Amino acid sequence: MRDDDSSSSFDSRGVRIDWDALVSPRTAGRVSKLGTETAFAVSAEATAFAALGHHVYPFHIGDLNFATPPNIVEASLRALKDGKTGYCPNAGIPILKEAVANEVNASRGLDYRAENVAVQPGGKPVIGKFLLTLMNPGDEVLYPNPGFPIYESQIEFHGGVAVPYRFVESATGFEIDLEALERSITPRTRLLILNDLQNPLGAECSPQEFERLSEIVSQHDLWVLSDEAYFDVRYSGTSTSFASIADMARRTVILYTFSKRFAMTGWRLGAALGPRSVIDVIATLNVNDESCTNHFVQYGGVEALTGDQTEPRRIVSVLKERRDAALKILRATPGVRCYEPRGTFYLFPNVTEAMRIKGFEDVDDFRREVLRETGVSVCSRTHFGRPQVDEDQHYVRFAYSGIEVDQIVEGLERFRSYLDLSTAAS
Ligand code: PLP
């Protein structure tokens, strides 16, 4: 096995192994289609900057700095001690499947049974398994862009054609450009990926948008992946699942995850919910892939859904305080336009004017200078899917899931001063 320290690796004859010489150039063609979360490169830049002794305000991090609620940890530990360490059913332990179905039915007004649930090691695997189940090579898939970058990567990796749909800024936020979306549909279009309460925009569909989308979906006979990763991370109003729109449940797969609401990102626990015809195939993909999701972790999931909700509620209320603190300063920052999302833990301000003030044309050049000058580290629009050719507005993403209110205020005040001073000078 390769060691972390490859320079000290030797074979059984004691000869030093030259790893680079062993790298095979014959990787499969599809590998070249594989994307990644390029935001990790921003982390590397922030880490390098911090290593030089600078203070960094980590707004690029999409992970949560909350501990998993103790009752969930206890339940999993108990299961571990009780010997829940062997293989378990590939679609998940029955008690968890039932708990997930009950939870989703109660919060979304749906009628799933345990057999409509396939437990997964996180929400992310649902994306690839949905595509493997329903997409043939050459099929076209509509996906949000800007959006979670793994959609584009997985569609192309599995031989599909990734067709982006975009959002337009409205007075109150972002709306899907439904006319453009409809114009991009062809006879090869098979699937639509939706992420309501969206990463990175924080956008959500109005009832009218959902209605129109459901008409488009029926008319063109599409299947839908409804990525509901942030369904429960909301501060006002109520979330709606696309599956609960009339007649949509029978052509929708829900991506459910424990990651955000329960601060369980590293536990890797989620589920796919949908019609049996699709869920059975996804469960067979589980057999072929991970066999089953970590057995004792699933008992933590049961406790998360059925146990005390005090801590998950507190997490959301702390996130709301952070959103409010960040928004207040961003809205007072020259050249920045930021609307108020009612959920997620992202802000996606338009910084076109701020860039003009500072003389930047490239949003990543701007982002890097902001880091150098203020220590504020953010992702930009370019980390959320390939930018489309006709884009003329620029955006950065502030994630406030991993940074405390005092640091939010300190960092964003520095960002504001950086732009304030230039405005005063110009
Ligand atoms: N979907 C969206 C929109 C996300 O932002 C994320 C994570 O950031 C995921 C899915 C996957 O989350 P997980 O695999 O931790 O459940």
Side-chain angles (χ1 to χ4, degrees):
M1 279 296 290
R2 183 172 179 165
D3 218 355
D4 273 351
D5 178 10
S6 57
S7 61
S8 64
S9 298
F10 297 89
D11 69 13
S12 58
R13 294 160 302 161
V15 177
R16 191 172 160 271
I17 301 172
D18 179 354
W19 290 108
D20 290 333
L22 288 180
V23 172
S24 162
R26 288 177 298 143
T27 50
R30 74 178 80 83
V31 169
S32 66
K33 304 271 185 193
L34 202 54
T36 184
E37 294 198 38
T38 51
F40 288 127
V42 178
S43 286
E45 285 172 22
T47 307
F49 186 68
L52 297 174
H54 302 289
H55 187 75
V56 169
Y57 301 91
F59 288 99
H60 58 277
I61 293 177
D63 204 354
L64 292 142
N65 64 344
F66 295 89
T68 302
N71 57 319
I72 299 175
V73 175
E74 285 304 323
S76 240
L77 279 176
R78 239 180 354 258
L80 189 55
K81 286 180 185 155
D82 286 351
K84 307 296 186 193
T85 51
Y87 294 123
C88 65
N90 48 71
I93 57 173
I95 184 178
L96 179 60
K97 294 202 302 178
E98 203 173 313
V100 171
N102 290 343
E103 163 68 23
V104 168
N105 292 342
S107 56
R108 290 148 170 90
L110 288 159
D111 191 21
Y112 292 121
R113 315 244 158 91
E115 60 262 30
N116 297 109
V117 180
V119 173
Q120 301 296 320
K124 197 185 251 181
V126 179
I127 300 169
K129 289 177 184 171
F130 169 81
L131 295 169
L132 280 170
T133 305
L134 291 161
M135 183 190 76
N136 281 307
D139 285 352
E140 293 174 12
V141 183
L142 299 162
Y143 75 102
N145 183 339
F148 192 45
I150 296 308
Y151 306 140
E152 197 175 74
S153 168
Q154 287 281 310
I155 295 165
E156 294 181 347
F157 179 63
H158 293 302
V161 180
V163 180
Y165 64 84
R166 65 184 177 196
F167 295 78
V168 284
E169 252 183 284
S170 70
T172 51
F174 293 94
E175 289 169 5
I176 296 175
D177 186 343
L178 286 170
E179 279 179 20
L181 179 147
E182 220 180 337
R183 275 199 307 275
S184 63
I185 295 178
T186 76
R188 297 304 309 258
T189 310
R190 295 279 182 273
L191 307 174
L192 168 72
I193 298 180
L194 259 185
N195 173 211
D196 206 48
L197 281 182
Q198 211 253 15
N199 177 11
L201 279 68
E204 58 185 314
C205 285
S206 64
Q208 294 75 16
E209 279 176 278
F210 264 159
E211 197 57 43
R212 183 68 199 115
L213 269 175
S214 68
E215 286 166 9
I216 294 171
V217 161
S218 299
Q219 191 184 338
H220 297 277
D221 193 19
L222 308 180
W223 272 78
V224 178
L225 173 66
S226 181
D227 179 341
E228 302 183 0
Y230 299 92
F231 191 90
D232 301 294
V233 184
R234 69 175 305 137
Y235 316 123
S236 59
T238 43
S239 299
T240 304
S241 170
F242 186 73
S244 68
I245 308 296
D247 208 30
M248 288 299 111
R250 60 195 186 90
R251 47 172 81 241
T252 300
V253 172
I254 292 178
L255 178 159
Y256 182 89
T257 178
F258 290 77
S259 285
K260 321 288 177 183
R261 171 178 173 192
F262 301 111
M264 291 174 71
T265 51
W267 289 61
R268 311 313 300 136
L269 188 60
L273 293 97
R276 280 244 3 220
S277 54
V278 171
I279 293 304
D280 287 350
V281 179
I282 289 182
T284 308
L285 288 168
N286 289 2
V287 178
N288 280 268
D289 199 343
E290 69 276 7
S291 291
C292 61
T293 294
N294 185 316
H295 194 168
F296 55 86
V297 158
Q298 295 189 44
Y299 288 88
V302 174
E303 174 63 23
L305 294 176
T306 58
D308 183 23
Q309 297 301 311
T310 312
E311 186 55 16
R313 281 198 203 102
R314 190 190 71 82
I315 291 173
V316 173
S317 73
V318 172
L319 289 171
K320 179 176 182 301
E321 284 168 25
R322 295 182 187 178
R323 179 203 63 177
D324 293 344
L327 200 58
K328 191 168 165 211
I329 304 173
L330 284 176
R331 285 190 155 168
T333 302
V336 172
R337 187 166 70 233
C338 192
Y339 89 98
E340 178 180 312
R342 297 194 298 173
T344 74
F345 33 69
Y346 307 114
L347 295 169
F348 199 65
N350 185 321
V351 292
T352 315
E353 179 58 14
M355 285 172 58
R356 194 197 59 74
I357 293 169
K358 284 291 187 181
F360 283 99
E361 288 188 355
D362 182 300
V363 71
D364 283 303
D365 288 344
F366 173 69
R367 172 181 71 72
R368 285 192 196 95
E369 184 176 91
V370 168
L371 175 64
R372 274 195 307 274
E373 293 295 317
T374 68
V376 168
S377 178
V378 291
C379 292
S380 81
R381 184 269 175 267
T382 60
H383 300 109
F384 300 98
R386 274 189 300 275
Q388 300 172 56
V389 278
D390 54 351
E391 289 181 17
D392 59 359
Q393 298 296 297
H394 299 292
Y395 299 88
V396 292
R397 188 193 76 173
F398 287 84
Y400 50 85
S401 47
I403 177 165
E404 304 292 336
V405 167
D406 64 328
Q407 288 294 289
I408 289 175
V409 171
E410 195 177 294
L412 292 185
E413 285 296 357
R414 294 186 68 157
F415 180 59
R416 174 161 73 168
S417 306
Y418 161 75
L419 285 161
D420 254 340
L421 292 175
S422 327
T423 329
S426 62

